Amino acid sequence: MTDLPDHLPPVLIDRFAEIVGDAYALQDQDDIAPYEAERRGLFGGKAALVLRPGNVEEVSRIMKLATETGTAIVPQSGNTGLVGGQVPDTSGRQVILSLSRLNRIRELDPLSNTVTVEAGVILENLHAAADGIDRLFPLSLASQGSCQIGGNLSSNAGGVGALVYGSARDLCLGVEVVLPTGEVFDDLRKLKKDNTGYDLKNLFVGAEGTLGVITAAVLKLYPKPKGRESAWIAIETPDVALDLLHRAGEAAGSSLTSFELIGDTPLEFGLRHIPDARNPLEGRWPWYVLLEISSGHSDDDARQTIEAILTEAFEAGLVQDAAISANIAQAKEFWRLREGFSDAQKPEGASIKHDISVPVASIPEFLRLAAVEVERVCPGARVCCFGHLGDGNLHYNVSQPVGMAPQDYLALYSAMNKAVFAIVRQLHGSFSAEHGIGSMKRKELVETTSPVSIDLMRRIKAAFDPAGIMNPGKVL
Amino acid sequence: MTDLPDHLPPVLIDRFAEIVGDAYALQDQDDIAPYEAERRGLFGGKAALVLRPGNVEEVSRIMKLATETGTAIVPQSGNTGLVGGQVPDTSGRQVILSLSRLNRIRELDPLSNTVTVEAGVILENLHAAADGIDRLFPLSLASQGSCQIGGNLSSNAGGVGALVYGSARDLCLGVEVVLPTGEVFDDLRKLKKDNTGYDLKNLFVGAEGTLGVITAAVLKLYPKPKGRESAWIAIETPDVALDLLHRAGEAAGSSLTSFELIGDTPLEFGLRHIPDARNPLEGRWPWYVLLEISSGHSDDDARQTIEAILTEAFEAGLVQDAAISANIAQAKEFWRLREGFSDAQKPEGASIKHDISVPVASIPEFLRLAAVEVERVCPGARVCCFGHLGDGNLHYNVSQPVGMAPQDYLALYSAMNKAVFAIVRQLHGSFSAEHGIGSMKRKELVETTSPVSIDLMRRIKAAFDPAGIMNPGKVL
């Protein structure tokens, strides 16, 4: 590899450019820069070219040429991924394939409760389109104003709605994928049940663009709840949260559409750094639960369910204080606070983040063990933990001690990862619950996953992408 | 292949038998016979041997020896599959690997809402175990008294609970699989979210034993509904059923846990042949809907939801008559009738059955078009259609005309299939919604699926089972 020049031959660049037209083949460094690095600047490299095809046919021709010439392709949609899966390496030889111009909603089908969308549709636009036909598309992420469906599917995005509705994978009925050869795998079916051979769809979903390029998908829509209410609940311990989760599940069943566990540190950071943030309660407690109840009937019905849950929980001595949203605006404030925690960590200095999952029942034990390890690795480091308790999935972020030099803290990155991941392994969890592997966690994948699994994954990669041109350096 | 003898060498049989012990290596024809054919006698062949391993280690040793010696293995659990996927061919050289002794429930975890079960656990026993810790395992099939979890997963079984809870695939969090080499792929995780590499689990689920042997799985449990009510509703047309489905979904959301469409012919056959069957209504109508509402609160709450749906539907002129189950016993009667339709067809003579799905919105069109084609292929043939409208999945069974010789009718098998599947294709549906491919539908799979898909499936098969010993002759 060291013998290769740090650029693609100009004649090859011209051939790629010809497919999409010069206006959509970005070569100027200023134009390329926003695609080369992700928004936090943690991952990125140097691309030979950014191609912005306008239709599937152009994607197909790009991939065909890439296979012929052995050119590495990095698919990218909203560029909001958190593990470096969507940005090129530093070789200068990789071509970014931006899906953002494939942004049509091809069909809304209210009777079948499906929507057929292209990979470049922004998640929030899909929400609006579903809302327009009185339906719900339940995938909900902090980045929904800029992330795009192709990336949501390729990373199998999770978010706050996954408790009942599932992750991106669960919401996807069919895909259209351009294979490395340029062939189009057209599996855009609206079928909930289809047992005709191997499940190819779920291989492409979550493959982070290493097996093919997802260009469109059929996604599930749901009846829009007639009512929703949220409650912000103060509790003493994660064990109590687990008890509360169980009771809320018993009382509300699938009406319990979110159940988030929040530490006091993210609240503290949020109140300090999120504009106009207000503490939903009068005082402060060690932990909080933010839950949402959806009702097929009305807001009143959702509120009654929440009140019933809280009354029982107060009587059982589980709850210290609680606020039920008085109206939609207040509910939105609760959720704006929750979605702002990640950004609110930035002004607090360097952070080492973990996106872990363990069996739901093991969450309290994880938190106990991890707190000890964090303090051992870096005394004074501040655990800023929040996440989707109902899914066993926590964002276990650790901010630097106050006053420490950020670079000194980041020097502990590997040690901190290692300590946290060891506990995850001990509890049979996952070191990447919803963000994926990308380039960031390749080493962990190989080190912590069984050789049998890795071998199977490599066989799939070799079978689907024998030339190794699909997003090389990612996942495996 | 014609040069091979019609048996395995005795010395090889002895080596296999040694792994499980003579008591569990069935060689006597009387002992083997029940494993060689499925219960209807439609598919089956001749096995060299039936092995009944007692643990995963023995399964592993069997597969290792099979790989070394190129011996074909046919995994089998409850032997209730409907497409011949679990029975051997006629060569006499295939070995049946029965999973039925792997019948332990390894762990019930009410806090994580999971159960870890072995492949040989009978579905009904799993229902009972979940019930014992106040949980629901929602997979529900007519064959649940004898089908086993390994087969449910390998065929991605659907059933009447799939509307909200999904098919077997959706209920499975992790699997333990013995690969053709004997290696164990241990992925028995209780995680709802785990984005670490390719989705291997969903390849094995639905692969009908052609990629490996599922020996155990972690499955999801749900809070047990506090109340359930069912209603049997008479309607004029499938279009009305679709309208009713939409309204019920709007009113009940995920509390709408079943929505079955039933023709008058299956009711007629059921009343004639199911012991003690009673018509839920006074009169007879062209179509019926059987729906179930589950409530997190109470039977009363479920009943109120049904009443609200029916009141609105009566006012809209959609419903001719309706009966709400007065008690659990009556609800069970409704469902016993529904589950008995398949058996009730037998005394009516030969039947040509189709397990199809189309987009939900296309169900009425499918029924219109198919009725015309059935009459064209065989005038007087009786469409006995029932199924899961909410999933777009119908059992489109066609009984012979009264008085026709069964063999004359069955001579039309291919013509009937072809006519029905052509409509399915036209409506972008699936010719095998929930029963799988097995040996029965291999030809259709190759003929009707795009060459790109088939090629990808073949690459997976070659990558996972290069020696071709896993259930050869099935799926691909």
Side-chain angles (χ1 to χ4, degrees):
Chain A
M1 294 295 280
T2 48
D3 292 322
L4 288 172
D6 66 351
H7 59 272
L8 285 189
V11 60
L12 180 53
I13 287 181
D14 287 348
R15 288 179 70 191
F16 276 117
E18 201 184 328
I19 295 171
V20 295
D22 282 342
Y24 297 114
L26 314 184
Q27 301 188 49
D28 188 280
Q29 188 50 43
D30 285 351
D31 294 338
I32 293 182
Y35 298 84
E36 288 182 325
E38 46 93 87
R39 61 189 175 114
R40 299 164 306 172
L42 292 182
F43 305 99
K46 193 169 158 28
L49 181 70
V50 174
L51 296 172
R52 303 187 62 217
N55 54 52
V56 176
E57 166 67 20
E58 289 179 1
V59 177
S60 169
R61 288 170 61 201
I62 290 167
M63 292 314 306
K64 189 161 181 284
L65 180 57
T67 284
E68 276 173 34
T69 58
T71 309
I73 299 291
V74 181
Q76 182 182 104
S77 48
N79 195 10
T80 60
L82 297 170
V83 292
Q86 75 280 16
V87 286
D89 66 15
T90 55
S91 69
R93 296 180 55 82
Q94 298 190 327
V95 173
I96 294 173
L97 174 59
S98 167
L99 281 306
S100 58
R101 285 182 63 223
L102 274 70
N103 60 359
R104 284 190 311 140
I105 293 178
R106 292 190 192 165
E107 189 201 11
L108 284 156
D109 181 346
L111 276 179
S112 294
N113 271 329
T114 60
V115 57
T116 308
V117 287
E118 294 183 342
V121 170
I122 291 172
L123 177 54
E124 214 161 65
N125 294 349
L126 176 52
H127 288 165
D131 198 67
I133 59 161
D134 205 30
R135 292 291 181 280
L136 172 75
F137 181 66
L139 189 69
S140 178
L141 311 173
S143 60
Q144 61 198 28
S146 50
C147 68
Q148 296 168 9
I149 298 303
N152 295 154
L153 290 170
S154 292
S155 65
N156 185 25
V160 297
L163 180 62
V164 166
Y165 298 106
S167 298
R169 165 171 289 128
D170 305 300
L171 298 170
C172 178
L173 292 172
V175 287
E176 175 188 84
V177 178
V178 177
L179 302 179
T181 54
E183 290 170 297
V184 179
F185 169 59
D186 178 358
D187 197 38
L188 282 179
R189 280 180 286 189
K190 298 179 183 176
L191 308 177
K192 286 191 185 166
K193 289 184 177 173
D194 179 22
N195 282 346
T196 52
Y198 303 145
D199 184 351
L200 299 170
K201 176 197 80 187
N202 281 318
L203 267 186
F204 292 111
V205 173
E208 305 183 34
T210 63
L211 300 178
V213 184
I214 297 177
T215 49
V218 179
L219 304 174
K220 291 185 201 169
L221 298 176
Y222 286 85
K224 201 159 66 178
K226 295 273 200 305
R228 283 191 200 171
E229 292 284 354
S230 297
W232 188 284
I233 305 163
I235 54 172
E236 288 286 352
T237 67
D239 292 277
V240 168
L242 205 58
D243 193 344
L244 193 57
L245 171 67
H246 176 69
R247 289 164 187 262
E250 285 283 310
S254 57
S255 299
L256 178 66
T257 41
S258 283
F259 195 100
E260 301 282 304
L261 178 67
I262 297 165
D264 190 48
T265 303
L267 178 63
E268 181 189 330
F269 291 178
L271 295 176
R272 202 178 291 157
H273 304 297
I274 299 172
D276 305 321
R278 286 184 48 207
N279 185 353
L281 301 173
E282 293 296 318
R284 297 273 290 277
W285 279 268
W287 293 93
Y288 310 93
V289 162
L290 174 57
L291 64 78
E292 181 192 71
I293 297 286
S294 300
S295 163
H297 305 303
S298 63
D299 285 338
D300 271 357
D301 182 55
R303 167 175 287 266
Q304 281 167 25
T305 304
I306 287 192
E307 285 173 350
I309 293 167
L310 284 176
T311 301
E312 191 197 307
F314 267 114
E315 281 167 8
L318 300 176
V319 170
Q320 306 305 310
D321 195 6
I324 304 179
S325 53
N327 47 49
I328 293 176
Q330 198 178 8
K332 278 194 177 161
E333 278 306 297
F334 290 177
W335 287 98
R336 191 176 69 94
L337 197 56
R338 162 66 187 84
E339 296 293 8
F341 291 152
S342 194
D343 285 342
Q345 264 195 281
K346 282 180 199 163
E348 296 289 333
S351 172
I352 301 174
K353 301 188 173 187
H354 309 86
D355 162 43
I356 66 98
S357 69
V358 294
V360 176
S362 302
I363 288 271
E365 190 176 359
F366 169 80
L367 288 168
R368 275 191 293 273
L369 295 171
V372 173
E373 282 299 283
V374 164
E375 187 62 19
R376 183 185 63 74
V377 172
C378 179
R382 295 165 294 167
V383 173
C384 178
C385 176
F386 52 92
H388 323 297
L389 182 68
D391 303 318
N393 173 204
L394 294 178
H395 300 295
Y396 195 76
N397 301 346
V398 188
S399 283
Q400 62 167 77
V402 176
M404 190 175 190
Q407 65 273 28
D408 290 348
Y409 181 64
L410 291 176
L412 300 171
Y413 202 97
S414 287
M416 190 71 85
N417 273 189
K418 208 174 151 189
V420 170
F421 292 157
I423 300 165
V424 168
R425 259 200 311 285
Q426 180 189 334
L427 298 174
H428 306 287
S430 167
F431 66 89
S432 189
E434 56 176 17
H435 296 165
I437 301 298
S439 57
M440 181 186 185
K441 298 183 181 175
R442 282 177 80 195
K443 200 161 146 272
E444 279 84 6
L445 181 68
V446 173
E447 284 177 1
T448 66
T449 307
S450 80
V452 174
S453 300
I454 295 290
D455 177 49
L456 289 174
M457 291 184 202
R458 288 198 169 128
R459 285 191 234 173
I460 291 168
K461 173 73 175 173
F464 279 53
D465 179 26
I469 61 164
M470 285 305 321
N471 212 4
K474 313 295 162 53
V475 184
L476 287 172
Chain B
M1 294 294 280
T2 47
D3 293 321
L4 289 171
D6 67 350
H7 59 272
L8 286 188
V11 59
L12 180 53
I13 288 181
D14 287 350
R15 288 180 69 192
F16 276 116
E18 202 184 328
I19 294 171
V20 296
D22 283 342
Y24 298 114
L26 313 184
Q27 301 188 50
D28 189 278
Q29 189 51 43
D30 286 350
D31 295 337
I32 292 183
Y35 298 85
E36 288 182 326
E38 48 93 86
R39 62 190 175 113
R40 299 164 305 172
L42 291 182
F43 306 98
K46 193 168 158 29
L49 181 71
V50 174
L51 297 172
R52 302 187 63 218
N55 54 52
V56 176
E57 165 67 20
E58 289 179 3
V59 177
S60 168
R61 288 171 61 199
I62 290 167
M63 292 314 306
K64 188 161 181 283
L65 180 57
T67 284
E68 276 172 32
T69 57
T71 310
I73 300 292
V74 180
Q76 182 182 104
S77 48
N79 194 11
T80 61
L82 297 170
V83 291
Q86 75 281 14
V87 287
D89 66 15
T90 54
S91 70
R93 296 181 54 84
Q94 298 190 326
V95 174
I96 294 173
L97 174 60
S98 166
L99 281 305
S100 58
R101 285 182 64 222
L102 273 67
N103 61 359
R104 284 190 310 141
I105 292 178
R106 291 190 191 164
E107 190 201 11
L108 284 156
D109 181 346
L111 277 179
S112 294
N113 271 330
T114 61
V115 58
T116 308
V117 288
E118 294 183 343
V121 170
I122 291 171
L123 177 53
E124 212 160 68
N125 294 348
L126 176 52
H127 289 165
D131 199 66
I133 58 161
D134 205 29
R135 293 290 182 280
L136 172 75
F137 181 67
L139 189 69
S140 179
L141 311 172
S143 59
Q144 60 198 27
S146 51
C147 68
Q148 296 169 9
I149 298 302
N152 295 153
L153 290 170
S154 292
S155 65
N156 185 26
V160 297
L163 181 61
V164 165
Y165 299 107
S167 297
R169 166 170 290 128
D170 306 300
L171 298 171
C172 177
L173 293 172
V175 287
E176 176 187 83
V177 177
V178 177
L179 302 178
T181 54
E183 290 170 297
V184 179
F185 169 60
D186 178 358
D187 196 39
L188 282 179
R189 281 181 285 190
K190 299 179 183 177
L191 307 177
K192 286 191 185 166
K193 289 185 177 173
D194 179 21
N195 282 347
T196 52
Y198 304 144
D199 184 351
L200 300 170
K201 176 197 81 186
N202 281 319
L203 268 186
F204 292 111
V205 173
E208 306 184 35
T210 63
L211 300 178
V213 184
I214 296 176
T215 49
V218 179
L219 304 173
K220 291 184 199 169
L221 298 176
Y222 287 84
K224 202 160 64 179
K226 295 273 200 305
R228 283 191 201 173
E229 291 286 353
S230 298
W232 188 286
I233 305 164
I235 54 173
E236 288 287 351
T237 67
D239 293 276
V240 168
L242 206 59
D243 192 346
L244 193 58
L245 171 67
H246 176 69
R247 289 163 187 261
E250 285 282 310
S254 57
S255 299
L256 178 66
T257 41
S258 283
F259 195 100
E260 302 281 302
L261 178 68
I262 297 165
D264 190 50
T265 302
L267 178 62
E268 180 189 331
F269 291 178
L271 294 176
R272 202 178 292 156
H273 304 295
I274 299 173
D276 305 320
R278 285 184 48 206
N279 184 354
L281 301 173
E282 293 296 318
R284 297 274 290 276
W285 280 267
W287 293 92
Y288 311 92
V289 162
L290 173 57
L291 65 77
E292 181 193 72
I293 297 286
S294 300
S295 164
H297 305 303
S298 63
D299 285 338
D300 272 356
D301 182 56
R303 166 174 288 266
Q304 280 167 25
T305 304
I306 287 191
E307 285 172 349
I309 293 167
L310 284 176
T311 301
E312 191 197 307
F314 267 115
E315 283 168 6
L318 300 176
V319 170
Q320 306 306 310
D321 194 6
I324 304 180
S325 54
N327 48 49
I328 294 177
Q330 199 178 7
K332 278 194 177 160
E333 278 306 298
F334 289 178
W335 286 98
R336 191 176 70 94
L337 196 55
R338 161 65 187 86
E339 297 292 8
F341 290 152
S342 194
D343 284 343
Q345 265 195 280
K346 281 180 200 163
E348 296 289 334
S351 172
I352 301 175
K353 300 188 174 187
H354 310 86
D355 161 43
I356 65 98
S357 69
V358 294
V360 176
S362 302
I363 288 270
E365 191 176 359
F366 169 81
L367 288 168
R368 275 190 294 273
L369 295 170
V372 173
E373 282 299 283
V374 163
E375 187 62 19
R376 183 185 63 75
V377 172
C378 180
R382 296 166 293 166
V383 173
C384 178
C385 176
F386 53 92
H388 322 297
L389 181 67
D391 302 318
N393 173 204
L394 295 178
H395 299 297
Y396 195 77
N397 301 346
V398 188
S399 282
Q400 63 167 77
V402 176
M404 191 175 189
Q407 63 273 27
D408 291 346
Y409 180 65
L410 290 176
L412 300 170
Y413 201 97
S414 287
M416 190 72 86
N417 274 189
K418 209 176 150 187
V420 171
F421 292 157
I423 301 165
V424 168
R425 259 200 310 286
Q426 178 188 334
L427 298 174
H428 307 286
S430 167
F431 66 88
S432 187
E434 55 175 18
H435 296 165
I437 301 298
S439 56
M440 181 185 184
K441 299 183 182 176
R442 281 177 79 194
K443 201 163 144 273
E444 279 84 7
L445 181 68
V446 173
E447 284 177 0
T448 67
T449 307
S450 79
V452 174
S453 300
I454 295 291
D455 177 50
L456 289 174
M457 290 184 203
R458 288 199 169 127
R459 287 192 233 172
I460 290 169
K461 173 72 175 173
F464 278 53
D465 179 26
I469 60 164
M470 285 305 320
N471 212 5
K474 313 294 162 54
V475 184
L476 288 171

